[in-house]
Amino acid sequence: INDIIYIMQIKEYILWLWKTTKGVRATMACNTIFGILHVGTSIFFIWTSKHLIDIATGKSEGPFVLFVCIIVVCVVLQQLLSAVIKRQESLTETKLANRLRHSLFIHIMKGPLTSSENIHTGDIINRLEKDVNIVANLLSHVIPSGCVTSIRMFAAFIFLLSLDIRLAGIILLIMPVTLLSSKRHIHKMRKLTENIRITDSHIQIYLQDNLQHRTLISALSATNLASQRLFSLQNILYRQIKCRTDFYIFSRTMVQSGFAAGHTTAFLWGVFCLWQGTVTFGTVTAFIQLANQVQQPIVKLGNHIMAFIHTFTSVERLNGLATLKTEKQDTPIKLGNMPGIRLENVYFSYPNDDRNIIENFSHNFIPGSLTAILGKSGTGKSTLLHLLAALLIPQKGNIILYDRKQEAVASPQTRCNIVYVPQGNTLLNGTIRDNLLLGKPDASDEELHDALIVSAADFVYELPQGLNTPCRELGTGLSEGQAQRIAIARGLLHTGGILLLDEPTASLDKDTERILLDRLTESVLDKTIIIVTHKQSTAQFCTHIVNI
């Protein structure tokens, strides 16, 4: 049963790899053709050198200069073909990696907010970088090279067979049995590789978490502890790689032993035949070269088998990303200006949690209203906003967006009507202008100015670089309150008619809070505004209050 499952997995992965090559198959075929031409040139070089040596030793007659010129041409052609193949392989690998990484990135970004299949971002980045590169290398280099290598081995063997059937038979018998890697060998290599990739992801996750929270770690004087834990993870990775390397070197040594035996046999056989006078010096030279042409591809094929084993682990990890659930993509449902939103007996609980965060909740946020949602921490205030934005889907009940002409159940298609400003610092790496343009890519400087004024973020114009001030990682260089107000300005630039603000004044002093709320209530008259807050001072500015 395990063997059947394993074979089915291999078929599935091969099909996945085939789909991944869409758009570069012609290039891969050209690379293979160039490789075959390189093989033909190499075999022709051996044939020419054999006759040239025989002419030089007086064993045969022929145009000496012509054969010298042919050898020179063969060498030049081999170098040119090698250069072309390397260039095409590099470009194909980059194109494949970019396309695969882009498609997986889009797929992940279209996923729902919560899922039991959530993967840490550090692990996702590790897969998008290392696993994508491994797969791209297999498709652009290993597979075309494997095809060419097989043809090289076959052509050289046929040529050797035409020169001496006995030597060809001996070489065939000496081919190392280890190339037909046993089931145990393949399974062990794959398991070792899988463990290494998992540990490597754990290190990526650990590095990302600690670098993002290095201020906290320093404040807790936990730098040494963080260093020790990283050192422990690295030791585990070292031992795993050491184990795989030892196993791989043992297998490779067995293959190399077979190669050495074949090469030595060809040499001694040639010397013996030369001593008996049954072959020429040219034929002996051909024996040695052809033995290499047969044996070297065997070693390469062994390496390719290992590459396939390693790559199937990466394919499995990338397939795990490709099969993550995504939101249904359909035509956006755009409602008229200032829509309302109505909840009818809504129930919601998170995956693997039987506790209802939202239970039998009903409320109508009428068009143009300004509503404060109050409640203690953990009562589901932010969850409610996620439900309104269709970032979460309720288990029971309905959430309906409406205007004077139509109604629509909340879904990813109605999200175009929502402007959501999360709690905390949500600025992306870039400039303040870059962050604002996320709300409206074609916004004019006047529109940016108006949004900054309404959100009480006009302090931006007092900064030395103004709108071009860099927002470094996690908004470093700006206070929490400044970052929050810029995020509100970004939301105001968006065209949605329902504005969801999660704790917009949490990091503001009383004076700045009053300025922000005054400007919002006076200027934002074309949106339905819902504010999550724990501050009564914020709720006082609202026309409606909902207690959770």
Side-chain angles (χ1 to χ4, degrees):
I1 293 176
N2 290 335
D3 289 341
I4 292 174
I5 293 174
Y6 184 66
I7 292 172
M8 291 176 64
Q9 287 179 335
I10 291 177
K11 290 181 178 179
E12 180 183 348
Y13 295 157
I14 291 174
L15 180 60
W16 188 89
L17 288 170
W18 171 253
K19 291 179 179 179
T20 303
T21 60
K22 185 178 181 180
V24 295
R25 293 168 190 165
T27 306
M28 291 174 62
C30 286
N31 290 349
T32 304
I33 291 172
F34 284 132
I36 293 172
L37 291 175
H38 191 280
V39 170
T41 305
S42 300
I43 298 297
F44 190 63
F45 175 87
I46 295 173
W47 180 86
T48 305
S49 62
K50 169 187 177 301
H51 285 282
L52 185 61
I53 292 173
D54 286 342
I55 292 171
T57 56
K59 297 296 183 179
S60 64
E61 297 180 355
F64 183 82
V65 176
L66 177 61
F67 277 91
V68 170
C69 292
I70 291 174
I71 282 183
V72 172
V73 170
C74 286
V75 171
V76 172
L77 278 176
Q78 287 181 47
Q79 296 303 314
L80 287 175
L81 288 169
S82 294
V84 170
I85 292 169
K86 288 293 183 184
R87 180 179 182 276
Q88 289 300 107
E89 284 180 351
S90 178
L91 295 178
T92 304
E93 181 175 353
T94 302
K95 186 175 181 180
L96 270 170
N98 286 343
R99 289 184 58 186
L100 182 55
R101 194 172 288 121
H102 182 266
S103 64
L104 289 172
F105 172 78
I106 296 299
H107 183 84
I108 293 166
M109 293 298 289
K110 290 180 179 178
L113 180 64
T114 59
S115 171
S116 58
E117 302 171 309
N118 276 347
I119 304 174
H120 193 285
T121 52
D123 189 14
I124 291 175
I125 292 172
N126 187 274
R127 298 187 193 199
L128 291 179
E129 285 298 321
K130 293 190 177 181
D131 289 309
V132 163
N133 288 336
I134 289 172
V135 169
N137 177 261
L138 174 84
L139 296 174
S140 63
H141 171 67
V142 175
I143 290 180
S145 177
C147 295
V148 172
T149 298
S150 300
I151 293 172
R152 180 188 298 277
M153 182 176 64
F154 180 75
F157 183 75
I158 294 299
F159 191 3
L160 182 61
L161 196 64
S162 67
L163 293 178
D164 193 310
I165 191 172
R166 293 171 297 176
L167 179 58
I170 293 172
I171 295 295
L172 183 63
L173 291 174
I174 292 177
M175 287 182 180
V177 179
T178 53
L179 287 176
L180 304 175
S181 302
S182 65
K183 182 178 70 173
R184 175 180 174 275
H185 176 83
I186 293 175
H187 280 297
K188 185 170 183 178
M189 283 298 295
R190 186 181 175 190
K191 187 63 179 177
L192 290 171
T193 301
E194 182 181 354
N195 291 337
I196 289 171
R197 299 299 301 121
I198 291 172
T199 304
D200 196 39
S201 286
H202 287 165
I203 291 175
Q204 173 86 28
I205 292 169
Y206 188 80
L207 288 172
Q208 180 174 318
D209 283 346
N210 282 265
L211 289 173
Q212 286 185 341
H213 299 95
R214 58 186 181 274
T215 303
L216 172 64
I217 291 172
S218 296
L220 294 173
S221 300
T223 303
N224 289 336
L225 177 61
S227 175
Q228 291 170 4
R229 289 177 177 175
L230 176 61
F231 184 72
S232 297
L233 285 172
Q234 289 175 324
N235 273 341
I236 293 173
L237 181 63
Y238 174 80
R239 290 194 297 270
Q240 290 174 338
I241 292 178
K242 179 178 179 295
C243 182
R244 188 183 69 176
T245 301
D246 291 343
F247 191 74
Y248 174 71
I249 288 176
F250 172 77
S251 303
R252 184 177 174 81
T253 300
M254 297 299 295
V255 175
Q256 292 284 13
S257 298
F259 172 75
H263 185 274
T264 303
T265 299
F267 173 75
L268 293 176
W269 181 267
V271 170
F272 176 75
C273 293
L274 192 64
W275 177 58
Q276 287 191 327
T278 57
V279 298
T280 64
F281 282 105
T283 303
V284 172
T285 304
F287 281 170
I288 297 173
Q289 291 184 85
L290 288 172
N292 286 337
Q293 291 287 329
V294 172
Q295 294 287 310
Q296 283 182 347
I298 294 175
V299 176
K300 283 188 176 181
L301 286 174
N303 292 335
H304 292 334
I305 291 173
M306 294 299 102
F308 267 97
I309 295 171
H310 298 335
T311 304
F312 280 147
T313 298
S314 293
V315 169
E316 187 174 22
R317 285 163 56 82
L318 294 179
N319 190 51
L321 298 181
T323 54
L324 289 175
K325 295 178 181 178
T326 58
E327 294 180 330
K328 181 182 178 181
Q329 304 299 312
D330 208 338
T331 305
I333 302 173
K334 185 67 175 178
L335 300 176
N337 292 333
M338 206 162 55
I341 187 165
R342 185 172 68 250
L343 293 88
E344 300 172 345
N345 307 115
V346 171
Y347 289 77
F348 177 80
S349 61
Y350 285 98
N352 303 318
D353 187 355
D354 295 332
R355 182 175 60 96
N356 285 324
I357 303 298
I358 304 292
E359 186 171 4
N360 197 28
F361 184 85
S362 298
H363 187 77
N364 184 15
F365 297 94
I366 61 176
S369 60
L370 175 56
T371 305
I373 299 177
L374 295 174
K376 295 180 180 180
S377 177
T379 54
K381 300 188 301 297
S382 296
T383 299
L384 180 59
L385 291 192
H386 291 161
L387 287 166
L388 296 177
L391 296 170
L392 297 174
I393 305 299
Q395 279 79 34
K396 294 181 182 180
N398 296 310
I399 301 175
I400 300 171
L401 284 76
Y402 64 93
D403 59 17
R404 294 180 179 179
K405 297 181 179 180
Q406 62 176 326
E407 294 185 348
V409 176
S411 69
Q413 287 68 55
T414 63
R415 203 174 291 153
C416 58
N417 302 285
I418 301 292
V419 178
Y420 174 50
V421 182
Q423 182 178 358
N425 189 332
T426 58
L427 299 185
L428 278 65
N429 191 57
T431 64
I432 292 177
R433 183 189 299 274
D434 294 334
N435 274 275
L436 292 174
L437 292 178
L438 283 174
K440 187 178 181 182
D442 59 347
S444 64
D445 283 349
E446 183 179 356
E447 289 175 306
L448 298 182
H449 177 268
D450 291 344
L452 289 169
I453 292 294
V454 174
S455 63
D458 40 332
F459 67 87
V460 167
Y461 295 104
E462 299 174 4
L463 299 174
Q465 295 175 269
L467 288 170
N468 296 318
T469 300
C471 297
R472 296 185 292 276
E473 186 178 10
L474 298 178
T476 304
L478 297 170
S479 70
E480 283 288 327
Q482 288 176 322
Q484 182 71 4
R485 282 177 280 163
I486 293 172
I488 293 172
R490 179 178 61 197
L492 293 174
L493 287 164
H494 198 58
T495 57
I498 299 175
L499 177 59
L500 308 179
L501 301 174
D502 195 353
E503 298 284 5
T505 62
S507 302
L508 304 183
D509 58 74
K510 289 184 178 180
D511 291 337
T512 306
E513 176 188 13
R514 186 179 302 108
I515 293 172
L516 170 63
L517 294 173
D518 279 338
R519 293 180 181 179
L520 275 176
T521 53
E522 292 174 2
S523 303
V524 185
L525 303 176
D526 60 341
K527 295 182 187 293
T528 301
I529 303 177
I530 302 171
I531 301 177
V532 161
T533 182
H534 66 279
K535 300 169 75 172
Q536 288 291 340
S537 56
T538 299
Q540 290 174 0
F541 282 84
C542 300
T543 56
H544 299 75
I545 295 177
V546 174
N547 287 289
I548 297 183

